[in-house]
C-alpha cells in the first residue's frame, strides 16, 4: 500500500507538526515515535502521555436484543455490565480461534459501544452483522465519527481533573461516562492498554485536534506506537495477530478468565471442546532481544515461537511472550534462536511488570 493510500486519523497534521516519525500500521499512517520510544515509555510509567488511537473501530449496538446478541457473539459475560461500565471481551470464530479481541461499553439499558482493533474493523463488522441477522438489534459502524485519544500514566487524572466536568475520583477502572473536556462534549472511559491508570477519550473527529493541543498544553506529552507496544508487552497484554489470532486458541493464554463456559456463545463447541496444544508464556533473556517469529528451543528442538519481544525499558532487560508446546512448559532449559545462535531464556509469570 502506497503512502497516498494509507488512511489518516484526524490528528495526522498534528503528528507531522510535532515531528513524529510516521509508519504504516493496519492500513493507517501512524506515529511510531516523537522524542523516542524509551523517553515516551518512561513518561507513561512515571508521569502522563497521550496516544492517538483513532484508527480503532467503534460499533454501536442498540435494540431490545442488544444484550442477548452480544452475549452470543462474545465469550465474556456481558450481562454483568451495568450501565456506565466497560468490559474486555473476545469475538470467537467457528474453529476455536478469535475474530478479534474487543472492549464492550454499556452506555444505556439497550445500548452498547464495541471498540475493535484497527486492522480488523471491516472483518469484525461483517462478522457481527452476520450474527445479528436473527436478533432485534441495530448495528452501526461509527468509526469515522470518532477520534480516540488514550491519556495514560499515574498523573493522568490529576492533569485532566481541572478541565473535566465530572469528579474523576468517583470513577473506578472500567467506568465509562459522558462529560465535558475543555468545554467539548466527550465520552471518557477509565481503560487503557499500558498497565497504568488512564482515560480513553472519545471525541468528535472534527474537534480532536483542538482537544489534543489542549492536552499537550496542560502537561501531557505525545507517545507513539513504539512505546505503546513496549508498555503493553511489559503489562502482558496480548496483541491480535501476535498472541491472539484466527487460528490461535485463546485458552492458550493467561486470559482464560474472559471465556465463560457457563453461557452459550458462537463457536463454543470448537473453543471449549478442544484443549489448547500451546501455552503462552513469558520469557526473559540476558542480552539478546527476541523478536516475533524467532524459534523457542528445548534441548535443541524447536518447541514454539516468539509472538512479541523487545527490550523492557522499565526492567532493563529483554522480555518476550511465546507460544510453546503445552507439554513442554515445565522444561527447565529453554533458549531462543537468534540469528542462528541459541540464547538462554527463562520462563517467568505474566505480566512482567507487577503493579
Amino acid at each position: 500500500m502506497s503512502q497516498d493510500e494509507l488512511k489518516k486519523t484526524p490528528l495526522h497534521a498534528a503528528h507531522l507538526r510535532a515531528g513524529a516519525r510516521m509508519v504504516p500500521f493496519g492500513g493507517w499512517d501512524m506515529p511510531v515515535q516523537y522524542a523516542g520510544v524509551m523517553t515516551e515509555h518512561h513518561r507513561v510509567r512515571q508521569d502522563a502521555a497521550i496516544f492517538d488511537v483513532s484508527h480503532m473501530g467503534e460499533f454501536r449496538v442498540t435494540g431490545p436484543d442488544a444484550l442477548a446478541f452480544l452475549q452470543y457473539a462474545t465469550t465474556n459475560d456481558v450481562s454483568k455490565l451495568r450501565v456506565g461500565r466497560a468490559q474486555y471481551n473476545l469475538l470467537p470464530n467457528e474453529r476455536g480461534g478469535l475474530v478479534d479481541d474487543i472492549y464492550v461499553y454499556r452506555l444505556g439499558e439497550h445500548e452498547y459501544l464495541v471498540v475493535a482493533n484497527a486492522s480488523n474493523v471491516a472483518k469484525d463488522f461483517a462478522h457481527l452483522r452476520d450474527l445479528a441477522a436473527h436478533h432485534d438489534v441495530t448495528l452501526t459502524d461509527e468509526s469515522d465519527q470518532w477520534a480516540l485519544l488514550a491519556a495514560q500514566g499515574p498523573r493522568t487524572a490529576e492533569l485532566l481533573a481541572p478541565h473535566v466536568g465530572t469528579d474523576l475520583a468517583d470513577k473506578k477502572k472500567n467506568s465509562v461516562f459522558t462529560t465535558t473536556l475543555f468545554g467539548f462534549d466527550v465520552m471518557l472511559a477509565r481503560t487503557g492498554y499500558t498497565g497504568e491508570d488512564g482515560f480513553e477519550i472519545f471525541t468528535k473527529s472534527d474537534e480532536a485536534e483542538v482537544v489534543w493541543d489542549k492536552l499537550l498544553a496542560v502537561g501531557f506529552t505525545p507517545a507513539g506506537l513504539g512505546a505503546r507496544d513496549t508498555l503493553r508487552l511489559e503489562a502482558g497484554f496480548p496483541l491480535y495477530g501476535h498472541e491472539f489470532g484466527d487460528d490461535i486458541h485463546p485458552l492458550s493464554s493467561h486470559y482464560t478468565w474472559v471465556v465463560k463456559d457457563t453461557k452459550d456463545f458462537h463457536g463454543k463447541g470448537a473453543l471449549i471442546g478442544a484443549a489448547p496444544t500451546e501455552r503462552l508464556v513469558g520469557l526473559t533473556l540476558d542480552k539478546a532481544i527476541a523478536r516475533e517469529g524467532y524459534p523457542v528451543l528445548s534441548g535443541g528442538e524447536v518447541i514454539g515461537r516468539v509472538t512479541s519481544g523487545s527490550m523492557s525499558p522499565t526492567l532493563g532487560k529483554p522480555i518476550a511472550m511465546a507460544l510453546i508446546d503445552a507439554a513442554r512448559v515445565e522444561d527447565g532449559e529453554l533458549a531462543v534462536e537468534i540469528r542462528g545462535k541459541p540464547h538462554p531464556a527463562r520462563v517467568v509469570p505474566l505480566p512482567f511488570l507487577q503493579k
Side-chain angles (χ1 to χ4, degrees):
M1 184 177 289
S2 71
Q3 191 74 21
D4 291 339
E5 293 174 309
L6 293 173
K7 298 178 184 177
K8 297 176 176 59
T9 77
L11 296 169
H12 191 265
H15 300 319
L16 297 181
R17 286 199 306 272
R21 182 159 71 86
M22 309 296 287
V23 297
F25 181 83
W28 294 78
D29 195 26
M30 296 295 293
V32 67
Q33 64 179 47
Y34 302 83
V37 172
M38 294 283 281
T39 299
E40 294 160 26
H41 180 107
H42 289 310
R43 189 63 183 245
V44 173
R45 288 278 180 251
Q46 300 166 9
D47 196 354
I50 190 83
F51 299 84
D52 178 13
V53 289
S54 303
H55 57 324
M56 304 288 278
E58 291 87 14
F59 313 141
R60 192 175 297 269
V61 182
T62 59
D65 287 351
L67 173 57
F69 165 62
L70 288 172
Q71 277 287 74
Y72 179 68
T74 68
T75 64
N76 206 344
D77 189 355
V78 185
S79 72
K80 299 291 187 182
L81 277 182
R82 304 187 307 275
V83 174
R85 300 291 295 166
Q87 176 193 77
Y88 181 67
N89 215 321
L90 305 174
L91 287 180
N93 60 26
E94 300 83 7
R95 57 181 185 271
L98 297 182
V99 178
D100 204 358
D101 62 331
I102 59 173
Y103 239 87
V104 178
Y105 303 78
R106 189 173 187 183
L107 308 183
E109 188 65 24
H110 303 293
E111 182 178 12
Y112 298 81
L113 191 72
V114 172
V115 173
N117 283 303
S119 58
N120 291 338
V121 171
K123 179 183 73 169
D124 288 4
F125 190 75
H127 173 77
L128 289 171
R129 186 179 55 209
D130 289 344
L131 294 185
H134 302 295
H135 293 85
D136 187 3
V137 295
T138 300
L139 180 65
T140 310
D141 185 353
E142 298 184 352
S143 303
D144 291 339
Q145 300 176 30
W146 294 100
L148 183 54
L149 317 181
Q152 299 283 291
R155 291 191 64 216
T156 296
E158 172 193 339
L159 293 178
L160 288 179
H163 312 287
V164 176
T166 302
D167 185 358
L168 299 181
D170 295 336
K171 302 301 181 181
K172 297 179 180 179
K173 180 177 172 58
N174 284 330
S175 293
V176 56
F177 53 98
T178 57
T179 186
T180 57
L181 177 61
F182 305 117
F184 293 96
D185 293 329
V186 299
M187 185 169 71
L188 295 185
R190 201 159 201 167
T191 51
Y193 193 52
T194 62
E196 297 295 335
D197 186 25
F199 289 85
E200 292 180 301
I201 304 163
F202 296 78
T203 184
K204 296 175 184 175
S205 294
D206 59 0
E207 296 174 348
E209 192 168 350
V210 177
V211 172
W212 174 271
D213 288 342
K214 288 182 177 294
L215 288 167
L216 298 183
V218 301
F220 288 93
T221 55
L225 294 177
R228 187 170 170 83
D229 195 51
T230 55
L231 289 158
R232 70 94 189 169
L233 180 56
E234 287 184 347
F237 293 152
L239 178 62
Y240 190 87
H242 296 253
E243 289 73 40
F244 285 155
D246 289 340
D247 297 304
I248 299 174
H249 201 303
L251 296 182
S252 301
S253 75
H254 51 303
Y255 276 75
T256 55
W257 59 271
V258 191
V259 179
K260 309 299 186 187
D261 61 3
T262 54
K263 70 164 197 172
D264 186 32
F265 57 82
H266 176 72
K268 180 179 179 179
L271 200 157
I272 301 294
T277 58
E278 297 178 307
R279 181 75 59 82
L280 185 69
V281 300
L283 299 175
T284 60
L285 295 89
D286 291 328
K287 294 181 180 180
I289 298 175
R291 300 296 188 187
E292 178 192 5
Y294 285 8
V296 178
L297 312 174
S298 177
E301 178 186 358
V302 175
I303 64 165
R305 66 195 182 281
V306 172
T307 55
S308 298
S310 181
M311 172 63 71
S312 166
T314 305
L315 302 176
K317 59 186 176 184
I319 60 174
M321 287 193 281
L323 279 167
I324 66 173
D325 184 337
R328 309 292 292 273
V329 171
E330 303 300 327
D331 285 11
E333 299 290 331
L334 297 186
V336 177
E337 184 179 311
I338 302 174
R339 291 182 289 277
K341 180 181 177 182
H343 290 261
R346 292 161 297 283
V347 175
V348 297
L350 293 170
F352 298 99
L353 189 64
Q354 302 289 335
K355 300 293 287 186

